[in-house]
Amino acid sequence: MLTLKNTSTHQAIDYYSQSYNDAFQTRWYGKGAEALGLVGNIQDQEIFTNICNGLAPDGSNLGRERSRAAIDCTFSAPKSVSLCALVGGDERLEVAHRKAVEKTLAIMEGRYAQTRMRANGRHEAFGTGNLVVAQFDHIESRELDPHLHTHALVMHLTKAENGDWYSLWNEEIYQNKKHIGE
């Protein structure tokens, strides 16, 4: 199951900073992340904060406007899978869940990553084919029940074909939410 929610910079930093110290539970994803040198585990709070603020990892300006930090795309495993994986100890299900999330993010990145740029005197959407995503695996619900889910924080940042960084235009992601969640 997939839920989407726009997330402010403050919300992203406060909520997701809770996961920094557990390298197993966090990781960068996307061609945009790679272009910024963000690979592997999320280990540096300052870098994460900079990205949430629409800055480069070193804090330099990427030249984009900042209206929100990201879209919180929460991918939830079915309850039966959560129980078998977390209570039953079947680690293969946790790995399968992470692989399913990565495959879904690859579809989002390839089909729906867009920005808006000025062309012909108006703003038009252009595909970019890259995302900057911070993933956070969680194993329990707010009620502390077993609940395997991944928060994929799709940053409001994408690199256009011209090499400049722009705000992610998330219209296609929201319009195709049901398809993406399947």
Side-chain angles (χ1 to χ4, degrees):
M1 185 173 105
L2 171 66
T3 59
L4 302 177
K5 179 178 78 169
N6 284 332
T7 304
S8 72
T9 302
H10 180 72
Q11 290 169 321
I13 293 168
D14 283 353
Y15 183 77
Y16 294 99
S17 64
Q18 300 169 23
S19 301
Y20 282 131
N21 296 325
D22 192 347
F24 173 75
Q25 293 184 350
T26 65
R27 63 203 164 277
W28 291 107
Y29 175 85
K31 294 175 184 171
E34 289 175 17
L36 291 169
L38 303 172
V39 293
N41 298 326
I42 301 169
Q43 298 176 343
D44 189 306
Q45 184 171 1
E46 184 177 346
I47 289 173
F48 179 73
T49 299
N50 287 340
I51 297 298
C52 287
N53 281 303
L55 302 172
D58 66 4
S60 62
N61 190 343
L62 290 173
R64 71 156 196 108
E65 75 270 9
R66 187 186 85 200
S67 57
R68 62 185 165 273
I71 308 167
D72 180 359
C73 300
T74 305
F75 297 92
S76 299
K79 190 67 166 178
S80 59
V81 172
S82 291
L83 290 172
C84 289
L86 302 172
V87 177
D90 191 342
E91 292 179 12
R92 297 172 302 166
L93 294 172
E94 290 181 60
V95 171
H97 169 76
R98 285 193 297 277
K99 284 183 181 178
V101 169
E102 297 250 337
K103 285 184 177 196
T104 304
L105 289 173
I107 290 169
M108 285 176 64
E109 185 170 55
R111 294 183 188 170
Y112 307 121
Q114 295 183 331
T115 192
R116 286 179 17 143
M117 294 187 290
R118 199 149 189 72
N120 303 320
R122 61 188 174 123
H123 281 97
E124 294 182 21
F126 292 91
T128 62
N130 66 82
L131 295 172
V132 178
V133 182
Q135 293 182 73
F136 300 87
D137 296 328
H138 293 165
I139 59 170
E140 55 194 25
S141 69
R142 288 187 178 102
E143 293 79 28
L144 303 180
D145 290 335
H147 178 58
L148 179 61
H149 63 287
T150 300
H151 291 273
L153 197 60
V154 179
M155 298 297 175
H156 195 57
L157 185 63
T158 190
K159 189 174 186 177
E161 196 173 280
N162 66 10
D164 291 337
W165 290 92
Y166 291 89
S167 295
L168 180 69
W169 176 247
N170 60 20
E171 183 78 16
E172 289 293 314
I173 294 171
Y174 274 96
Q175 285 183 354
N176 291 285
K177 172 185 160 184
K178 193 172 208 173
H179 171 72
I180 295 167
E182 291 175 356

